[in-house]
mmCIF file of all heavy atoms in Angstrom:
data_model
loop_
_atom_site.group_PDB
_atom_site.id
_atom_site.type_symbol
_atom_site.label_atom_id
_atom_site.label_comp_id
_atom_site.label_asym_id
_atom_site.label_seq_id
_atom_site.Cartn_x
_atom_site.Cartn_y
_atom_site.Cartn_z
ATOM 1 N N ASP A 1 -102.464 -124.998 -152.722
ATOM 2 C CA ASP A 1 -103.140 -124.834 -151.457
ATOM 3 C C ASP A 1 -102.262 -125.054 -150.189
ATOM 4 O O ASP A 1 -102.688 -124.598 -149.042
ATOM 5 C CB ASP A 1 -104.351 -125.802 -151.355
ATOM 6 C CG ASP A 1 -105.332 -125.634 -152.555
ATOM 7 O OD1 ASP A 1 -105.466 -124.413 -152.958
ATOM 8 O OD2 ASP A 1 -105.927 -126.684 -152.952
ATOM 9 N N ILE A 2 -101.155 -125.638 -150.338
ATOM 10 C CA ILE A 2 -100.307 -125.935 -149.170
ATOM 11 C C ILE A 2 -99.325 -124.726 -148.959
ATOM 12 O O ILE A 2 -98.671 -124.313 -149.942
ATOM 13 C CB ILE A 2 -99.526 -127.242 -149.503
ATOM 14 C CG1 ILE A 2 -100.497 -128.470 -149.669
ATOM 15 C CG2 ILE A 2 -98.576 -127.470 -148.338
ATOM 16 C CD1 ILE A 2 -99.836 -129.666 -150.120
ATOM 17 N N PRO A 3 -99.341 -124.231 -147.732
ATOM 18 C CA PRO A 3 -98.448 -123.119 -147.445
ATOM 19 C C PRO A 3 -96.940 -123.391 -147.735
ATOM 20 O O PRO A 3 -96.541 -124.499 -147.598
ATOM 21 C CB PRO A 3 -98.704 -122.890 -145.880
ATOM 22 C CG PRO A 3 -100.070 -123.539 -145.598
ATOM 23 C CD PRO A 3 -100.120 -124.717 -146.552
ATOM 24 N N GLU A 4 -96.360 -122.308 -148.215
ATOM 25 C CA GLU A 4 -94.858 -122.396 -148.452
ATOM 26 C C GLU A 4 -94.104 -122.963 -147.269
ATOM 27 O O GLU A 4 -94.334 -122.668 -146.072
ATOM 28 C CB GLU A 4 -94.300 -121.055 -148.707
ATOM 29 C CG GLU A 4 -94.892 -120.424 -150.076
ATOM 30 C CD GLU A 4 -94.174 -121.007 -151.275
ATOM 31 O OE1 GLU A 4 -93.032 -121.706 -151.202
ATOM 32 O OE2 GLU A 4 -94.675 -120.854 -152.456
ATOM 33 N N GLY A 5 -93.221 -123.954 -147.536
ATOM 34 C CA GLY A 5 -92.366 -124.522 -146.554
ATOM 35 C C GLY A 5 -93.105 -125.678 -145.796
ATOM 36 O O GLY A 5 -92.383 -126.303 -144.925
ATOM 37 N N LYS A 6 -94.310 -126.037 -146.129
ATOM 38 C CA LYS A 6 -95.113 -127.049 -145.547
ATOM 39 C C LYS A 6 -95.457 -128.369 -146.238
ATOM 40 O O LYS A 6 -96.191 -129.056 -145.784
ATOM 41 C CB LYS A 6 -96.375 -126.426 -144.956
ATOM 42 C CG LYS A 6 -96.329 -125.262 -143.903
ATOM 43 C CD LYS A 6 -95.626 -125.777 -142.607
ATOM 44 C CE LYS A 6 -95.501 -124.712 -141.680
ATOM 45 N NZ LYS A 6 -94.966 -125.010 -140.371
ATOM 46 N N MET A 7 -94.728 -128.432 -147.469
ATOM 47 C CA MET A 7 -95.148 -129.557 -148.269
ATOM 48 C C MET A 7 -94.812 -130.946 -147.656
ATOM 49 O O MET A 7 -95.679 -131.795 -147.651
ATOM 50 C CB MET A 7 -94.258 -129.506 -149.613
ATOM 51 C CG MET A 7 -94.685 -130.476 -150.620
ATOM 52 S SD MET A 7 -96.371 -130.244 -151.293
ATOM 53 C CE MET A 7 -96.148 -128.720 -152.231
ATOM 54 N N ILE A 8 -93.628 -130.958 -147.049
ATOM 55 C CA ILE A 8 -93.287 -132.281 -146.348
ATOM 56 C C ILE A 8 -94.258 -132.603 -145.144
ATOM 57 O O ILE A 8 -94.613 -133.729 -144.941
ATOM 58 C CB ILE A 8 -91.762 -132.455 -146.022
ATOM 59 C CG1 ILE A 8 -91.015 -132.440 -147.232
ATOM 60 C CG2 ILE A 8 -91.667 -133.536 -144.990
ATOM 61 C CD1 ILE A 8 -89.505 -132.563 -147.074
ATOM 62 N N ASP A 9 -94.534 -131.442 -144.515
ATOM 63 C CA ASP A 9 -95.522 -131.634 -143.275
ATOM 64 C C ASP A 9 -96.894 -132.264 -143.811
ATOM 65 O O ASP A 9 -97.341 -133.157 -143.169
ATOM 66 C CB ASP A 9 -95.766 -130.294 -142.712
ATOM 67 C CG ASP A 9 -94.634 -129.755 -142.017
ATOM 68 O OD1 ASP A 9 -93.669 -130.539 -141.529
ATOM 69 O OD2 ASP A 9 -94.458 -128.565 -141.913
ATOM 70 N N TYR A 10 -97.380 -131.791 -144.878
ATOM 71 C CA TYR A 10 -98.667 -132.196 -145.390
ATOM 72 C C TYR A 10 -98.576 -133.643 -146.017
ATOM 73 O O TYR A 10 -99.492 -134.483 -146.003
ATOM 74 C CB TYR A 10 -99.319 -131.198 -146.376
ATOM 75 C CG TYR A 10 -100.086 -130.215 -145.541
ATOM 76 C CD1 TYR A 10 -99.342 -128.959 -145.172
ATOM 77 C CD2 TYR A 10 -101.402 -130.376 -145.153
ATOM 78 C CE1 TYR A 10 -99.997 -127.994 -144.494
ATOM 79 C CE2 TYR A 10 -102.001 -129.327 -144.405
ATOM 80 C CZ TYR A 10 -101.304 -128.151 -144.111
ATOM 81 O OH TYR A 10 -102.033 -127.124 -143.371
ATOM 82 N N LEU A 11 -97.495 -133.946 -146.607
ATOM 83 C CA LEU A 11 -97.044 -135.312 -147.132
ATOM 84 C C LEU A 11 -97.040 -136.338 -146.000
ATOM 85 O O LEU A 11 -97.698 -137.436 -146.069
ATOM 86 C CB LEU A 11 -95.777 -135.486 -147.861
ATOM 87 C CG LEU A 11 -95.742 -134.762 -149.303
ATOM 88 C CD1 LEU A 11 -94.357 -134.526 -149.804
ATOM 89 C CD2 LEU A 11 -96.661 -135.388 -150.270
ATOM 90 N N MET A 12 -96.504 -135.873 -144.872
ATOM 91 C CA MET A 12 -96.491 -136.749 -143.758
ATOM 92 C C MET A 12 -97.926 -136.937 -143.061
ATOM 93 O O MET A 12 -98.223 -137.931 -142.612
ATOM 94 C CB MET A 12 -95.527 -136.177 -142.624
ATOM 95 C CG MET A 12 -94.031 -136.258 -143.034
ATOM 96 S SD MET A 12 -93.396 -137.878 -142.970
ATOM 97 C CE MET A 12 -93.487 -138.250 -141.247
ATOM 98 N N ALA A 13 -98.585 -135.878 -143.121
ATOM 99 C CA ALA A 13 -100.066 -135.894 -142.642
ATOM 100 C C ALA A 13 -100.899 -136.825 -143.454
ATOM 101 O O ALA A 13 -101.623 -137.637 -142.965
ATOM 102 C CB ALA A 13 -100.736 -134.449 -142.671
ATOM 103 N N SER A 14 -100.668 -136.791 -144.828
ATOM 104 C CA SER A 14 -101.454 -137.706 -145.595
ATOM 105 C C SER A 14 -101.074 -139.119 -145.321
ATOM 106 O O SER A 14 -102.027 -139.991 -145.480
ATOM 107 C CB SER A 14 -101.121 -137.402 -147.049
ATOM 108 O OG SER A 14 -101.954 -138.256 -147.962
ATOM 109 N N ALA A 15 -100.009 -139.323 -144.833
ATOM 110 C CA ALA A 15 -99.557 -140.803 -144.582
ATOM 111 C C ALA A 15 -99.474 -141.161 -143.117
ATOM 112 O O ALA A 15 -98.624 -142.095 -142.684
ATOM 113 C CB ALA A 15 -98.076 -141.006 -145.258
ATOM 114 N N SER A 16 -100.132 -140.436 -142.266
ATOM 115 C CA SER A 16 -100.178 -140.702 -140.857
ATOM 116 C C SER A 16 -100.957 -141.867 -140.374
ATOM 117 O O SER A 16 -102.106 -141.618 -140.005
ATOM 118 C CB SER A 16 -100.614 -139.357 -140.049
ATOM 119 O OG SER A 16 -100.371 -139.458 -138.738
ATOM 120 N N PHE A 17 -100.430 -142.938 -140.617
ATOM 121 C CA PHE A 17 -101.088 -144.222 -140.273
ATOM 122 C C PHE A 17 -101.365 -144.331 -138.777
ATOM 123 O O PHE A 17 -100.690 -143.795 -137.953
ATOM 124 C CB PHE A 17 -100.105 -145.313 -140.690
ATOM 125 C CG PHE A 17 -100.709 -146.742 -140.672
ATOM 126 C CD1 PHE A 17 -101.481 -147.214 -141.745
ATOM 127 C CD2 PHE A 17 -100.691 -147.649 -139.638
ATOM 128 C CE1 PHE A 17 -101.991 -148.446 -141.793
ATOM 129 C CE2 PHE A 17 -101.171 -148.892 -139.581
ATOM 130 C CZ PHE A 17 -101.895 -149.254 -140.653
ATOM 131 N N PRO A 18 -102.619 -144.896 -138.367
ATOM 132 C CA PRO A 18 -102.867 -145.116 -136.875
ATOM 133 C C PRO A 18 -101.854 -145.780 -136.265
ATOM 134 O O PRO A 18 -101.332 -146.871 -136.674
ATOM 135 C CB PRO A 18 -104.157 -145.941 -137.024
ATOM 136 C CG PRO A 18 -104.743 -145.629 -138.385
ATOM 137 C CD PRO A 18 -103.671 -145.406 -139.278
ATOM 138 N N GLY A 19 -101.411 -145.243 -135.177
ATOM 139 C CA GLY A 19 -100.318 -145.842 -134.405
ATOM 140 C C GLY A 19 -98.943 -145.032 -134.520
ATOM 141 O O GLY A 19 -98.025 -145.189 -133.688
ATOM 142 N N PHE A 20 -98.888 -144.210 -135.581
ATOM 143 C CA PHE A 20 -97.731 -143.418 -135.755
ATOM 144 C C PHE A 20 -97.931 -142.083 -134.840
ATOM 145 O O PHE A 20 -98.990 -141.769 -134.418
ATOM 146 C CB PHE A 20 -97.654 -142.799 -137.303
ATOM 147 C CG PHE A 20 -97.265 -143.783 -138.306
ATOM 148 C CD1 PHE A 20 -96.909 -145.122 -137.945
ATOM 149 C CD2 PHE A 20 -97.163 -143.330 -139.563
ATOM 150 C CE1 PHE A 20 -96.470 -145.928 -138.900
ATOM 151 C CE2 PHE A 20 -96.672 -144.230 -140.567
ATOM 152 C CZ PHE A 20 -96.359 -145.559 -140.209
ATOM 153 N N LYS A 21 -96.790 -141.615 -134.513
ATOM 154 C CA LYS A 21 -96.664 -140.369 -133.672
ATOM 155 C C LYS A 21 -97.410 -139.240 -134.419
ATOM 156 O O LYS A 21 -96.986 -139.038 -135.626
ATOM 157 C CB LYS A 21 -95.255 -140.093 -133.330
ATOM 158 C CG LYS A 21 -95.116 -138.850 -132.447
ATOM 159 C CD LYS A 21 -93.690 -138.515 -132.142
ATOM 160 C CE LYS A 21 -93.546 -137.120 -131.285
ATOM 161 N NZ LYS A 21 -92.122 -136.953 -131.017
ATOM 162 N N LEU A 22 -98.224 -138.442 -133.854
ATOM 163 C CA LEU A 22 -98.944 -137.445 -134.418
ATOM 164 C C LEU A 22 -98.213 -136.113 -134.242
ATOM 165 O O LEU A 22 -98.001 -135.792 -133.165
ATOM 166 C CB LEU A 22 -100.316 -137.244 -133.861
ATOM 167 C CG LEU A 22 -101.302 -138.498 -134.156
ATOM 168 C CD1 LEU A 22 -102.597 -138.224 -133.388
ATOM 169 C CD2 LEU A 22 -101.644 -138.602 -135.625
ATOM 170 N N ASN A 23 -97.741 -135.619 -135.351
ATOM 171 C CA ASN A 23 -97.046 -134.283 -135.366
ATOM 172 C C ASN A 23 -97.878 -133.185 -135.959
ATOM 173 O O ASN A 23 -98.371 -133.208 -136.985
ATOM 174 C CB ASN A 23 -95.784 -134.391 -136.256
ATOM 175 C CG ASN A 23 -94.795 -135.389 -135.695
ATOM 176 O OD1 ASN A 23 -94.234 -135.327 -134.592
ATOM 177 N ND2 ASN A 23 -94.500 -136.514 -136.453
ATOM 178 N N PRO A 24 -98.208 -132.187 -135.038
ATOM 179 C CA PRO A 24 -99.143 -131.119 -135.603
ATOM 180 C C PRO A 24 -98.606 -130.184 -136.576
ATOM 181 O O PRO A 24 -97.331 -130.027 -136.736
ATOM 182 C CB PRO A 24 -99.342 -130.292 -134.258
ATOM 183 C CG PRO A 24 -97.997 -130.510 -133.454
ATOM 184 C CD PRO A 24 -97.741 -131.945 -133.727
ATOM 185 N N ILE A 25 -99.548 -129.685 -137.391
ATOM 186 C CA ILE A 25 -99.165 -128.507 -138.233
ATOM 187 C C ILE A 25 -99.851 -127.401 -137.715
ATOM 188 O O ILE A 25 -101.036 -127.283 -137.641
ATOM 189 C CB ILE A 25 -99.607 -128.859 -139.805
ATOM 190 C CG1 ILE A 25 -98.924 -130.237 -140.233
ATOM 191 C CG2 ILE A 25 -99.228 -127.740 -140.725
ATOM 192 C CD1 ILE A 25 -99.451 -130.571 -141.612
ATOM 193 N N GLY A 26 -99.103 -126.420 -137.255
ATOM 194 C CA GLY A 26 -99.716 -125.419 -136.319
ATOM 195 C C GLY A 26 -100.309 -126.024 -135.180
ATOM 196 O O GLY A 26 -99.583 -126.766 -134.397
#
């Protein structure tokens, strides 16, 4: 389900603890 080339982006999203810098996907 994860777009090609975006695996690490979504892994980071899953582990985006409150207080961490938020990096958008799209």
Side-chain angles (χ1 to χ4, degrees):
D1 300 324
I2 296 172
E4 292 282 343
K6 298 294 183 179
M7 186 66 68
I8 289 178
D9 290 333
Y10 278 92
L11 288 171
M12 291 290 293
S14 181
S16 187
F17 191 84
F20 284 1
K21 180 179 179 180
L22 293 174
N23 296 298
I25 302 176

